């Protein structure tokens, strides 16, 4: 009986440390996906782009969360098209109840 309780306790501990969160992706346009992201207690629908390399938010969102932008980041799409975006200091976000990025102010 003690052995069974020990096994059960071990299984409960292991299952808690192996818990996972499912992040729901919504259909956006054709094969593109979006997801709900919480930034400073506001929820936004952002495009899920696995090739982006950066988390990008619009100038409108930057204004809504009372931040300022600076400088520029330049990248190129696979087609060769140049893409320029403004930079913003680090912004803490939550996806599926999990916090990402340490907010620096």
């Amino acid at each position: 009986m003690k052995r069974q309780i020990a096994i059960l306790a071990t299984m409960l501990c292991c299952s808690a440390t192996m818990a996972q969160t499912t992040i729901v992706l919504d259909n956006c346009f054709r094969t593109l996906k979006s997801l709900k992201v919480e930034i400073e207690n506001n929820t936004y629908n952002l495009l899920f782009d696995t090739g982006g390399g950066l988390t990008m938010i619009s100038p409108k969102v930057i204004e809504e969360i009372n931040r300022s932008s600076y400088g520029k980041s330049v990248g190129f799409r696979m087609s060769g098209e140049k893409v320029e975006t403004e930079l913003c200091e680090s912004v803490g976000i939550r996806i599926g109840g999990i916090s990402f990025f340490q907010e620096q102010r």
Side-chain angles (χ1 to χ4, degrees):
M1 181 69 157
K2 288 182 183 180
R3 182 171 185 235
Q4 291 171 333
I5 292 173
I7 291 171
L8 180 59
T10 302
M11 289 173 56
L12 289 173
C13 289
C14 290
S15 65
T17 60
M18 296 173 65
Q20 297 181 13
T21 298
T22 300
I23 298 172
V24 178
L25 298 178
D26 299 315
N27 291 324
C28 182
F29 176 74
R30 295 187 184 163
T31 60
L32 298 177
K33 301 292 183 184
S34 66
L35 69 158
K36 292 186 183 2
V37 175
E38 186 181 321
I39 304 173
E40 302 221 356
N41 299 318
N42 295 314
T43 302
Y44 300 94
N45 223 7
L46 300 183
L47 179 67
F48 181 71
D49 182 0
T50 59
L54 291 172
T55 298
M56 297 181 5
I57 56 177
S58 72
K60 180 182 175 188
V61 172
I62 292 172
E63 185 179 316
E64 287 177 5
I65 63 173
N66 199 28
R67 299 292 176 92
S68 57
S69 59
Y70 63 91
K72 292 218 182 266
S73 175
V74 179
F76 295 89
R77 292 195 168 115
M78 290 179 68
S79 64
E81 178 186 2
K82 183 178 179 180
V83 178
E84 292 185 33
T85 59
E86 295 179 13
L87 300 171
C88 175
E89 68 256 19
S90 182
V91 175
I93 65 174
R94 290 178 59 84
I95 303 171
I98 297 174
S99 294
F100 293 88
F101 311 116
Q102 181 62 39
E103 195 172 337
Q104 298 175 9
R105 280 194 153 195

